[in-house]
């Protein structure tokens, strides 16, 4: 009986030893620092970008002789504005001209006005007109051969395309020059007005369905 008791204890000891040998040790964990955000100071807000409406940029404007202005009220239909013949006062031909204004304007029944100090004549206003082209597709059936269907794209300048430049004497309010494109004017895409008398002038550019590149030049100032 005692022999059986010691045999049982020996068997239990062997089993415990085998079980302890198969048990894996606990994994090793390194102590890594953890980044904790500082909540005492407020976070930097994301900047908000405000998009401004895009307008037609002025490519060049000499502020010493050109300033923006309000267009004159539209003349009542049927009433012809007063026009004054401007005498030629500058007998000398300038040797060099300098640009004082250059701008490309998309006209959609709108006007732009400026005031120009013509310190020495002549003032030359040159406009390059690019009218809006309308495309129309014409479809039909051929009256010859196999009677096949066809389509043709036809392009033409809009009948609503026009441009006008009006130059007024600031003191007298009289129109000293006027020219344009379309309507009662020529359809020549290059228009030019020459003011041959020094003075202050109110100039209005207006139009519809055209892109106009407007350049103004004056003689170089004498030293």
């Amino acid at each position: 009986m005692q022999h059986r008791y010691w045999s049982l204890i020996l068997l239990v000891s062997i089993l415990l030893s085998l079980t302890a040998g198969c048990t894996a040790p606990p994994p090793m964990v390194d102590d890594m620092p953890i980044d904790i955000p500082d909540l005492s100071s407020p976070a930097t807000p994301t900047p908000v970008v405000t998009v401004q409406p895009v307008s037609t940029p002025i490519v060049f404007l000499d502020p010493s002789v050109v300033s923006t202005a309000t267009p004159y009220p539209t003349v009542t239909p049927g009433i012809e504005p007063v026009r004054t013949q401007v005498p030629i006062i500058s007998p000398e031909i300038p040797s060099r001209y300098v640009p004082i204004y250059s701008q490309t304007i998309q006209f959609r029944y709108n006007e732009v006005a400026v005031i120009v100090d013509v310190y020495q004549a002549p003032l030359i206003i040159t406009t390059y007109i690019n009218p809006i082209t309308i495309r129309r597709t014409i479809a039909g059936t051929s009256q010859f051969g196999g009677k096949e269907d066809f389509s043709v794209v036809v392009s033409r300048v809009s009948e609503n395309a026009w441009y006008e430049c009006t130059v007024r004497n600031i003191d007298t309010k009289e129109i000293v020059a006027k020219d344009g494109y379309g309507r009662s004017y020529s359809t020549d895409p290059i228009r030019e007005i020459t003011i041959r008398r020094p003075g202050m002038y109110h100039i209005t550019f207006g139009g519809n369905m055209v892109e106009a590149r407007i350049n103004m030049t004056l003689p170089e100032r004498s030293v």
Side-chain angles (χ1 to χ4, degrees), residues 42-103:
T44 303
T46 303
V48 179
V49 179
T50 303
V51 179
Q52 298 294 334
V54 178
S55 58
T56 304
I58 293 178
V59 178
F60 176 78
L61 184 153
D62 186 346
S64 66
V65 292
V66 181
S67 59
T68 58
T70 303
Y72 270 78
T74 304
V75 178
T76 305
I79 300 178
E80 184 67 17
V82 178
R83 302 191 185 189
T84 303
Q85 296 295 329
V86 181
I88 298 177
I89 304 234
S90 292
E92 298 181 0
I93 300 176
S95 59
R96 184 173 182 269
Y97 288 85
V98 293
I100 61 169
Y101 180 92
S102 179
Q103 183 178 8

Side-chain angles (χ1 to χ4, degrees), residues 161-180:
W162 62 273
Y163 164 81
E164 190 172 66
C165 174
T166 305
V167 183
R168 289 179 172 86
N169 183 294
I170 283 189
D171 296 328
T172 64
K173 306 298 188 294
E174 293 176 330
I175 295 177
V176 298
K178 196 172 186 180
D179 189 42

Side-chain angles (χ1 to χ4, degrees), residues 55-68 96-105 112-116 119 123-126 205 212-221:
S55 58
T56 304
I58 293 178
V59 178
F60 176 78
L61 184 153
D62 186 346
S64 66
V65 292
V66 181
S67 59
T68 58
R96 184 173 182 269
Y97 288 85
V98 293
I100 61 169
Y101 180 92
S102 179
Q103 183 178 8
T104 299
I105 306 174
V112 174
V114 295
I115 294 175
V116 180
Y119 54 81
L123 166 67
I124 300 177
I125 308 170
T126 306
F205 307 107
R213 179 161 55 91
I214 305 168
N215 296 324
M216 291 194 287
T217 59
L218 280 175
E220 186 178 23
R221 290 181 185 268

Side-chain angles (χ1 to χ4, degrees), residues 7 15 17 19 38 40 47 77 92 110 120 147 151 162 166 177 188:
S7 297
L15 289 176
S17 299
T19 303
D38 184 9
S40 60
E92 298 181 0
N110 59 304
Q120 179 182 345
K147 308 292 184 182
S151 62
W162 62 273
T166 305
D188 185 345

Side-chain angles (χ1 to χ4, degrees), residues 128-175:
Y128 303 89
I129 304 295
N130 182 23
I132 299 300
T133 300
I134 297 177
R135 294 183 178 179
R136 179 184 177 189
T137 302
I138 301 176
T141 303
S142 173
Q143 300 299 317
F144 305 95
K147 308 292 184 182
E148 296 179 353
D149 294 337
F150 69 92
S151 62
V152 178
V153 177
V154 179
S155 299
R156 61 178 176 82
V157 175
S158 172
E159 63 273 10
N160 296 318
W162 62 273
Y163 164 81
E164 190 172 66
C165 174
T166 305
V167 183
R168 289 179 172 86
N169 183 294
I170 283 189
D171 296 328
T172 64
K173 306 298 188 294
E174 293 176 330
I175 295 177

Side-chain angles (χ1 to χ4, degrees), residues 21-49:
C22 295
T23 303
M28 300 296 294
V29 180
D30 294 332
D31 292 332
M32 299 295 292
I34 301 175
D35 292 330
I36 301 176
D38 184 9
L39 301 180
S40 60
S41 59
T44 303
T46 303
V48 179
V49 179

